[in-house]
Amino acid sequence: RRSSDLLPAYGQKRGFYSQMINFLGNFITIFYDWTGNFGVAVIIFTLIVKGLLLPLDIKSKNSNAKMQELQPEVQKISEKYKNDPEKKNRKIQELYQKKNVSPLGGCLPMLITLPIVIIVFYALRRVASQTMYTFLSGLLIANNGGMEDILAQIGTAISNSSEIKMSFADILPMLFANPTAYEDPANLVRALQSLPSVIGEETYMTLIEAIKGVTETQILDAIKVHGYQFLWVKNIMVSDSGLTTIIGTGMPFSSIFQNSNGYFILPILSTALQYLQTWLTMRNQPKNTANNSGAMSFMNKIFPIISLYFCTMYSAAFALYWTMSTIISVAQILITDWVRKNKKKKQAQLANA
């Protein structure tokens, strides 16, 4: 099955955020169907998203540049009225108004883009969940054609159940990733311990036996055919982790990198790039501005750590999006700085001519 089979699964929930998640999810799957490789689809998607956000990025950087140019005048005002804080603040605000500069100009674009990042995160998460379900159910049906009706019945039973709050699309990968559930349903996470009674003991055991019949070779071959492998990551729907198998099963630390899905490359790279982006951004920031406040400084320091967590714990598809997005942001900063420095150099040459 191709990812186009997933499209009807989106759009079941209403609300602005749900609709946006559905829209982006469909958008990503279209690129996947076009390229045949999910990693390439994510890269194309990232380029488009960053292109749409480019005007906001440029506005933020221009605002920061203007604030930097006004810093000498701000310092003069601060020194002149150091004993009168109220008048000092009023004079600084008058300067900003005169020069048509907003101290929050560099922050507002970030606040606007943050919800977009969250929507993209959930869109990729939903795509990964739906894709893994389609992929794994396809393997079960390939081994036993009768499983198609059984899976449909299980999905209906779970949807109609008040005991289980998760969808079957989320549950099936968890069953593949939890071998101890084969022996005892009590080893399932608490939310799923009622699964055998909801779908029926016989149906549950039939499902478990079908899962046990899927070999690792089958999974690897199918991943390659479906285009889920990307560079060193065997399955981009699972985290780029040396402690995770290709279907999301956790591994003990003693088995790190042994038949793992990845090698922590994307999480480490994304974190390093986040620190680089923070350093490049802060080095040109004028002091005593909203962008250099304690809260913003704290956010800049904690953001790379948050990046490391999400890129390690969630799908490599999101880690790839985040890494590519940060690479583009770093490139934008370097290009903008280079253009600004050349512009100042030319202005200085004309002034001295």
Side-chain angles (χ1 to χ4, degrees):
R1 297 183 180 185
R2 298 292 292 177
S3 66
S4 55
D5 298 333
L6 303 177
L7 298 181
Y10 302 119
Q12 295 176 355
K13 295 183 179 180
R14 296 183 178 181
F16 174 75
Y17 274 102
S18 292
Q19 291 299 324
M20 286 300 298
I21 290 169
N22 298 337
F23 172 75
L24 292 182
N26 289 328
F27 207 45
I28 295 167
T29 54
I30 289 172
F31 288 128
Y32 166 58
D33 286 337
W34 177 45
T35 63
N37 185 279
F38 207 88
V40 176
V42 169
I43 291 175
I44 295 174
F45 173 77
T46 306
L47 292 172
I48 292 176
V49 171
K50 292 297 291 184
L52 293 175
L53 295 177
L54 184 60
L56 287 175
D57 289 336
I58 293 175
K59 183 178 180 180
S60 174
K61 290 175 176 58
N62 287 339
S63 178
N64 290 334
K66 290 180 181 178
M67 290 292 295
Q68 186 179 2
E69 291 173 0
L70 290 178
Q71 190 60 19
E73 295 182 57
V74 171
Q75 289 176 345
K76 288 180 181 178
I77 294 174
S78 298
E79 181 64 27
K80 184 176 181 179
Y81 301 103
K82 61 182 178 181
N83 295 323
D84 190 348
E86 185 177 343
K87 190 171 184 179
K88 179 187 71 174
N89 291 332
R90 187 173 68 251
K91 289 293 184 179
I92 290 175
Q93 289 301 321
E94 289 175 357
L95 174 65
Y96 289 155
Q97 291 176 1
K98 180 180 178 181
K99 300 294 184 179
N100 195 27
V101 174
S102 171
L104 297 176
C107 300
L108 291 177
M110 180 184 294
L111 296 177
I112 294 173
T113 57
L114 185 58
I116 297 175
V117 172
I118 295 173
I119 292 172
V120 170
F121 167 75
Y122 280 107
L124 286 169
R125 187 179 180 185
R126 182 174 294 183
V127 169
S129 174
Q130 294 285 351
T131 302
M132 282 298 291
Y133 171 76
T134 302
F135 169 68
L136 294 174
S137 62
L139 291 175
L140 296 176
I141 295 169
N143 283 354
N144 181 356
M147 285 300 300
E148 185 167 7
D149 291 335
I150 294 175
L151 292 173
Q153 293 170 10
I154 294 174
T156 301
I158 291 174
S159 297
N160 296 332
S161 170
S162 59
E163 298 179 59
I164 299 178
K165 306 300 182 183
M166 303 171 66
S167 70
F168 191 35
D170 293 321
I171 293 172
L172 187 60
M174 294 175 66
L175 293 175
F176 267 87
N178 192 351
T180 58
Y182 299 159
E183 291 83 31
D184 185 0
N187 290 328
L188 286 167
V189 294
R190 183 175 299 179
L192 298 182
Q193 288 181 2
S194 60
L195 181 61
S197 62
V198 169
I199 67 176
E201 294 284 348
E202 184 178 347
T203 301
Y204 175 77
M205 291 311 301
T206 300
L207 174 62
I208 294 302
E209 289 301 319
I211 291 174
K212 291 168 68 175
V214 177
T215 66
E216 185 175 351
T217 301
Q218 280 182 290
I219 295 174
L220 283 171
D221 291 343
I223 285 174
K224 293 177 182 178
V225 170
H226 284 76
Y228 299 155
Q229 186 173 12
F230 183 74
L231 299 178
W232 63 88
V233 181
K234 295 176 183 176
N235 183 1
I236 200 169
M237 303 302 170
V238 176
S239 61
D240 178 11
S241 169
L243 293 171
T244 306
T245 67
I246 56 175
I247 58 172
T249 309
M251 298 164 54
F253 191 79
S254 58
S255 301
I256 189 170
F257 300 135
Q258 295 180 18
N259 296 319
S260 61
N261 188 59
Y263 303 98
F264 299 112
I265 294 175
L266 285 174
I268 293 173
L269 184 59
S270 69
T271 304
L273 287 167
Q274 278 293 315
Y275 275 113
L276 176 61
Q277 181 182 1
T278 298
W279 179 78
L280 290 172
T281 301
M282 298 300 292
R283 68 174 181 170
N284 292 325
Q285 291 286 353
K287 296 180 179 180
N288 302 320
T289 67
N291 289 331
N292 243 338
S293 65
M296 185 60 66
S297 178
F298 174 77
M299 285 182 61
N300 286 330
K301 291 176 182 177
I302 202 68
F303 211 61
I305 299 175
I306 296 174
S307 174
L308 176 64
Y309 172 80
F310 278 94
C311 291
T312 302
M313 299 303 295
Y314 293 96
S315 73
F318 176 75
L320 177 61
Y321 163 79
W322 194 244
T323 301
M324 284 298 304
S325 180
T326 310
I327 289 174
I328 295 171
S329 295
V330 169
Q332 286 177 345
I333 293 173
L334 293 174
I335 293 172
T336 301
D337 287 350
W338 179 81
V339 170
R340 187 180 298 118
K341 287 178 181 178
N342 276 318
K343 183 178 180 181
K344 287 184 177 180
K345 186 177 179 180
K346 290 180 179 179
Q347 288 175 344
Q349 288 174 347
L350 290 174
N352 296 327

